[in-house]
Amino acid sequence: MKRLSIIIVAVLAVLLVACSSQKDPKSAVRTYFNAIENEEFYEAACVCLQDGNFNADAKAQELRGRYGKILKHFRILGVEQISETEAVAAVKYKTAFSEATGDEMELVHLTKVGDVWFVGKKAQPFNFEDMDWSGMDEDAIGDALGEDTDLNMEEAEEEAVAIAEEAADEE
Amino acid sequence: MKKIKLLIIGLLAIVFAGCGEQSNPEKTVKAFHKAIYEKDFGTAASYILSTNAEEQAAYTKMLKDIYKGDNAIINFHVYGAAFSTKDAAKVAVSTEVAKAPKGMSAKDVMIIPLVKSEGSWYINLQ
């Protein structure tokens, strides 16, 4: 019984530490880049948003390929929560090549799941009907596309039938 | 006495040069967004690197088109700069527009590239 209690307390402590390091977007970014700077890519992968196809090993490999032995001395310049569940952080860091290439800067997107913030952005399918097309000039859209958008379905159908008949005659 | 006067003038010149609106990348980005916030698109365009007046006019029109109506900037904050070289930098800035398009956020963070030309920093759109 005592052993079980110790295990439960230990599990809760681990969960508490994990959640407190991702309790807000800034801590999540700091945890992510700290892990990368310390070459702990699996730990960094665990801070990433886990979608349906997420694989921590593959993500760790990806991070190792991208930042391995390169990133050092990162600094979080600022974090902006852009909605209830989304935030963007601007991060500056030096690399092993900084003397030649200068400092790097990148934007890191974060997503809140429950009470925990993760690095990454939820894929949002583009919804044509959700777009606000009011005020859009149809001619301007046509000009931008560089083609005639007034497609005449009757003409197109007639043309298709003619092509099919021609092909049949040739046979 | 003359030497001291010259020294003071020299020091003042250095101080004022360091306080100029485009003396560092952050100041340029701040002045650019302040001008957009105040709808002074001509001044905003003057912070973009260009080679002639025609290009400046095109940038003014472009900014006017982008930041009209709901897309007007109502708030901004410059985070800081990263220097690629001593004459090239990137600045992170957060902005908030009056009303976001459906399904999008009114707040955004972006990275703006800048170059130093003739002692001043300009936004580099090329």
Side-chain angles (χ1 to χ4, degrees):
Chain A
M1 190 63 186
K2 200 179 169 190
R3 204 176 272 177
L4 188 66
S5 300
I6 293 171
I7 291 170
I8 291 171
V9 169
V11 168
L12 285 175
V14 168
L15 282 175
L16 193 68
V17 168
C19 292
S20 65
S21 66
Q22 290 169 249
K23 68 181 188 313
D24 57 60
K26 197 169 184 178
S27 353
V29 177
R30 183 170 292 122
T31 306
Y32 175 73
F33 276 99
N34 261 330
I36 289 172
E37 198 173 340
N38 295 330
E39 306 260 306
E40 293 163 344
F41 297 106
Y42 191 83
E43 281 75 1
C46 290
V47 186
C48 293
L49 186 67
Q50 306 183 6
D51 58 15
N53 302 320
F54 185 80
N55 178 319
D57 287 322
K59 189 71 189 177
Q61 280 304 316
E62 183 196 319
L63 294 175
R64 185 186 296 277
R66 187 169 171 197
Y67 298 109
K69 295 187 193 306
I70 290 180
L71 185 141
K72 51 186 181 177
H73 308 309
F74 75 90
R75 200 178 129 207
I76 301 166
L77 295 175
V79 182
E80 184 74 50
Q81 191 165 339
I82 59 171
S83 73
E84 211 175 299
T85 57
E86 289 171 286
V88 184
V91 182
K92 168 177 147 172
Y93 53 84
K94 289 192 180 299
T95 71
F97 317 110
S98 276
E99 267 185 38
T101 60
D103 293 346
E104 297 287 335
M105 184 189 273
E106 73 174 75
L107 297 181
V108 180
H109 289 263
L110 297 116
T111 304
K112 192 180 185 185
V113 180
D115 286 332
V116 183
W117 284 91
F118 292 93
V119 169
K121 199 177 179 182
K122 244 184 199 164
Q124 284 170 336
F126 177 74
N127 190 344
F128 190 82
E129 285 177 4
D130 267 358
M131 290 296 290
D132 181 10
W133 298 104
S134 58
M136 281 281 202
D137 183 348
E138 282 177 25
D139 290 339
I141 297 171
D143 288 347
L145 292 172
E147 56 194 38
D148 182 9
T149 50
D150 294 331
L151 182 66
N152 186 327
M153 286 309 288
E154 271 180 36
E155 276 179 22
E157 205 174 319
E158 280 170 18
E159 204 174 322
V161 171
I163 291 170
E165 281 175 354
E166 204 176 308
D169 286 347
E170 277 176 15
E171 273 179 14
Chain B
M1 190 64 184
K2 202 179 168 188
K3 254 183 204 171
I4 294 174
K5 267 187 188 171
L6 280 174
L7 193 67
I8 290 170
I9 290 169
L11 280 173
L12 283 175
I14 290 168
V15 168
F16 280 113
C19 293
E21 273 188 335
Q22 289 172 262
S23 58
N24 70 40
E26 289 107 318
K27 280 185 180 175
T28 297
V29 172
K30 198 171 180 179
F32 173 75
H33 281 86
K34 188 171 174 278
I36 288 174
Y37 175 80
E38 289 167 352
K39 296 189 169 50
D40 185 356
F41 299 109
T43 302
S46 71
Y47 296 116
I48 302 174
L49 186 71
S50 62
T51 49
N52 55 51
E54 213 170 77
E55 227 174 71
Q56 275 285 302
Y59 283 140
T60 305
K61 188 185 175 302
M62 180 191 83
L63 294 173
K64 208 181 274 182
D65 288 343
I66 292 174
Y67 296 104
K68 68 182 175 189
D70 290 344
N71 221 21
I73 287 182
I74 56 163
N75 203 359
F76 68 92
H77 181 70
V78 177
Y79 287 144
F83 289 84
S84 319
T85 67
K86 66 178 177 60
D87 294 328
K90 286 172 185 168
V91 169
V93 59
S94 74
T95 56
E96 185 179 355
V97 295
K99 192 182 165 201
K102 201 177 172 186
M104 291 172 85
S105 171
K107 291 180 177 175
D108 196 12
V109 182
M110 58 189 125
I111 291 177
I112 297 180
L114 294 105
V115 286
K116 197 175 185 180
S117 173
E118 293 169 2
S120 295
W121 285 91
Y122 292 90
I123 291 167
N124 185 14
L125 296 185
Q126 281 140 26

